[in-house]
Amino acid sequence: MGKKNDNTLVKNASFLMIAALISKIIGMLYKSPLSNTLGNSSMGLFNYAQNVYFILLMIASFSIPQAVSKIMAEKLAFKRYRDAQKVFHCALLYVAAMGGVVALFCFFGSSILVPESMSGARLALKMLAPTIFLSGILGTFRGYFQAYRNMLPTSLSQIVEQCFVAVFAILMSSVMLNRFSGAEESVRNAWGAAGATMGTGAGVASALLFMLFVYGVNKKTINKRLARDTNSRDEATGEVMKNIVLIVMPIILSSFIYNVNGFINSYMYSGIQGFKGIDHDTITSLYAEYGYYMTLINIPLTLASTAPTSMIPEVSAQYAKHDMDSARDKIDRATWISMFISIPCAVGLAVLAGPITRLLFPRTEGAAAQLMMLGVITIILNGNSNISNGVLQGIGKPNIPMINAAIALVVDVIAMAILLLVTDLGVYSIVIAMIIYAVVMCLLNERAMKKYMEYKNPWRSAYLNPLLASVPMAAVAGFSYYGIYKLIRSNFISLGIAVVLGMIAYFIVYLAVSKPSDEQFAMMPGGAYLKKIASKLPF
């Protein structure tokens, strides 16, 4: 049974990682033509509106898939199917109410949420209000299937969502720019950004329709399971709603505090830079560069977060059964999967930051690449803190990461204020503050993990081995890119060859350094092929 559960965890994490990778690649690729269509000023407004939307989404429903999957998984561990189904129905009521309130605030409170120096982003933010409401319902359906340890519907819905986002963002931004081609530049930029945000709404709506279809297909199986249930306690609706609120609110508040630093940093950047007399176009253009950086770095950040997403139901179930050894083993596996991907991504992005940003965002003026080289460490740090957050929430200690995030946020805000007021670092201050925040969060969560689970991070297997393999990978990728580029002067071809050679170097050195067991090979993406390759190597 233990081996079956381990395979389930790996399979679920793999599903989410592959889907997240495909989704983020689509998101990265469409941002390139979108930035060319909008221009830096309008793209900066679009990025700012998306940043505010992301924070509002957290308040409304962002962590609802994790919360629903956690509560349901604890009941499903004891085959209480009717009780789990009632949690699902009550969660839908909760997100409808909360999502509706936040959506109204998003629409009518845009002047409060967006500073005057970024006022052009207010229209785009209003366009995102209905999306907040739909996102909560979508998240509840995703949490439902995750509780049953079925990550495939969530994975496929993410890909569907991102495809619609890409198509409609480019289409509607072009429509709006053409419609307002004769208007003032500020008006045209505002409507261009607003058109781009319509893609987000189209993506969420399409993903929700897909999840409703999947739920409908499985309805007969669900009803049979409910009819055979003899273990449920048939809890009162009021009691279930109370339990949802008590568990969901700390998780959402923790996630909000954990991620609101990005919004606060951006708000402080635009406000203080405006106060210092920096002109509006410079502020928005540099913020667009920050947006390019975040688009790229969000790919490995998302991959790092998929492991704890798939892990929470597993850890919650084992913890509910008081099986601490199994719970710690799940955490080790999630950490290994996360770092196996995150560390080489961070090193590779640092080495090839310039070529990558120039290829995907031709309008960049170079700041995005510099931000990338400075900020890649956050990929590893956030991967670590995402897992520890998931663990602490999964074992019923959601207040701890919330308190830790609040402490880290205070440090972040202080650092951001000092950097903006005392130095001329400008947009670079946002990335430096992000690094400081992530370091504080990791240290505090690490202490809590040791206290409540007697857990120690698998530093050698999860962190050291990927890092050792990433060093020669970086050398191969860097030397091959610049060497080939000198010969053929093609950024695309040189970058493609460098990435492939770097990946080959990483896997070969990793196999030599870590000498994985058969069980570890089974956990790797493409592990069966890597095992065949390893059997032919002379070590």
Side-chain angles (χ1 to χ4, degrees):
M1 177 66 81
K3 185 175 181 180
K4 181 180 178 181
N5 288 338
D6 291 342
N7 291 336
T8 300
L9 173 61
V10 175
K11 181 176 70 174
N12 287 338
S14 298
F15 276 148
L16 288 177
M17 280 189 174
I18 292 170
L21 180 60
I22 294 172
S23 298
K24 287 301 177 181
I25 288 175
I26 295 171
M28 177 183 65
L29 293 177
Y30 96 83
K31 288 286 181 67
S32 181
L34 182 64
S35 66
N36 288 332
T37 300
L38 293 177
N40 274 0
S41 293
S42 188
M43 190 70 181
L45 298 177
F46 167 73
N47 286 332
Y48 198 94
Q50 289 284 113
N51 201 9
V52 178
Y53 158 76
F54 184 64
I55 297 302
L56 293 175
L57 190 61
M58 283 181 193
I59 299 173
S61 61
F62 186 77
S63 293
I64 202 70
Q66 293 182 2
V68 170
S69 66
K70 169 188 161 32
I71 301 171
M72 287 184 62
E74 291 174 351
K75 300 183 185 301
L76 293 175
F78 299 99
K79 299 182 178 180
R80 294 166 54 190
Y81 299 112
R82 283 199 311 275
D83 288 345
Q85 193 73 8
K86 180 168 281 190
V87 169
F88 170 61
H89 291 154
C90 290
L92 286 173
L93 293 176
Y94 169 85
V95 296
M98 181 65 76
V101 171
V102 176
L104 289 172
F105 177 66
C106 175
F107 188 86
F108 293 104
S110 60
S111 60
I112 300 173
L113 296 165
V114 180
E116 189 61 33
S117 59
M118 283 284 191
S119 58
R122 290 170 183 169
L123 178 61
L125 183 60
K126 288 182 178 181
M127 293 289 184
L128 288 165
T131 310
I132 293 174
F133 177 77
L134 295 178
S135 293
I137 300 172
L138 172 61
T140 304
F141 275 94
R142 284 173 170 169
Y144 178 87
F145 286 103
Q146 288 170 18
Y148 280 97
R149 301 176 185 179
N150 182 5
M151 304 298 174
L152 186 58
T154 293
S155 302
L156 293 177
S157 71
Q158 288 175 345
I159 297 173
V160 170
E161 177 182 355
Q162 201 59 50
C163 287
F164 274 82
V165 169
V167 172
F168 276 84
I170 296 172
L171 175 64
M172 294 310 298
S173 61
S174 298
V175 169
M176 291 300 172
L177 288 173
N178 290 331
R179 171 67 178 79
F180 294 92
S181 59
E184 294 181 7
E185 185 177 0
S186 59
V187 174
R188 189 171 181 270
N189 287 339
W191 277 103
T197 59
M198 292 179 187
T200 306
V204 170
S206 63
L208 177 56
L209 289 174
F210 175 81
M211 294 301 289
L212 288 171
F213 170 75
V214 173
Y215 185 81
V217 169
N218 287 276
K219 186 65 175 175
K220 185 178 293 186
T221 302
I222 293 169
N223 289 336
K224 287 182 180 179
R225 188 183 290 123
L226 296 177
R228 292 196 300 263
D229 178 15
T230 59
N231 298 313
S232 286
R233 301 171 186 173
D234 295 321
E235 298 166 300
T237 300
E239 187 65 24
V240 175
M241 287 295 293
K242 178 183 176 181
N243 189 37
I244 288 174
V245 172
L246 289 175
I247 293 178
V248 169
M249 289 307 293
I251 293 177
I252 289 179
L253 185 57
S254 175
S255 296
F256 170 74
I257 296 174
Y258 183 63
N259 291 279
V260 76
N261 68 310
F263 167 70
I264 292 176
N265 290 347
S266 300
Y267 198 99
M268 291 176 68
Y269 160 73
S270 58
I272 294 177
Q273 290 294 90
F275 174 78
K276 291 171 72 173
I278 308 298
D279 66 273
H280 178 268
D281 287 341
T282 300
I283 294 173
T284 55
S285 294
L286 284 174
Y287 195 80
E289 294 280 347
Y290 170 73
Y292 300 153
Y293 152 74
M294 286 303 299
T295 297
L296 290 169
I297 209 166
N298 270 333
I299 297 176
L301 284 177
T302 301
L303 291 177
S305 69
T306 56
T309 298
S310 60
M311 173 190 66
I312 287 176
E314 302 278 351
V315 173
S316 297
Q318 298 301 327
Y319 191 80
K321 295 177 180 179
H322 305 289
D323 188 350
M324 298 298 290
D325 288 337
S326 294
R328 283 190 287 264
D329 183 61
K330 305 296 183 189
I331 301 168
D332 281 347
R333 292 171 182 272
T335 304
W336 183 88
I337 294 171
S338 179
M339 293 302 126
F340 180 75
I341 301 294
S342 299
I343 291 175
C345 284
V347 175
L349 284 173
V351 172
L352 300 173
I356 291 173
T357 53
R358 288 196 303 273
L359 175 67
L360 295 173
F361 303 107
R363 285 181 174 268
T364 181
E365 297 175 358
Q370 294 171 352
L371 290 168
M372 180 76 68
M373 289 185 281
L374 176 64
V376 290
I377 186 64
T378 58
I379 297 172
I380 300 170
L381 295 172
N382 284 332
N384 176 288
S385 59
N386 278 335
I387 290 172
S388 55
N389 275 350
V391 170
L392 293 170
Q393 292 168 2
I395 65 173
K397 304 288 184 182
N399 290 333
I400 294 174
M402 180 177 64
I403 294 170
N404 291 346
I407 295 170
L409 181 61
V410 172
V411 177
D412 172 280
V413 170
I414 294 172
M416 188 71 184
I418 293 172
L419 289 169
L420 286 172
L421 292 172
V422 177
T423 73
D424 294 322
L425 289 170
V427 73
Y428 297 93
S429 302
I430 303 179
V431 177
I432 295 172
M434 286 172 59
I435 296 171
I436 294 171
Y437 178 94
V439 169
V440 174
M441 195 70 194
C442 286
L443 293 175
L444 293 176
N445 277 4
E446 180 75 14
R447 185 177 65 176
M449 293 265 284
K450 288 180 180 179
K451 178 178 179 181
Y452 291 101
M453 293 198 70
E454 298 181 357
Y455 179 77
K456 294 182 179 179
N457 253 309
W459 294 109
R460 177 175 177 79
S461 61
Y463 293 86
L464 182 59
N465 289 341
L467 184 59
L468 291 175
S470 295
V471 174
M473 176 204 75
V476 170
F479 282 116
S480 60
Y481 171 80
Y482 291 105
I484 296 171
Y485 186 78
K486 279 188 177 182
L487 295 175
I488 63 175
R489 311 302 293 181
S490 170
N491 186 35
F492 177 77
I493 296 175
S494 302
L495 187 58
I497 295 173
V499 169
V500 172
L501 292 177
M503 289 174 61
I504 293 172
Y506 173 73
F507 285 119
I508 290 176
V509 177
Y510 185 84
L511 294 174
V513 170
S514 65
K515 295 181 172 55
S517 63
D518 290 346
E519 185 179 7
Q520 289 172 324
F521 271 118
M523 294 172 62
M524 294 182 186
Y529 296 103
L530 291 176
K531 184 178 178 181
K532 290 180 181 179
I533 294 172
S535 64
K536 298 177 181 179
L537 296 175
F539 48 77

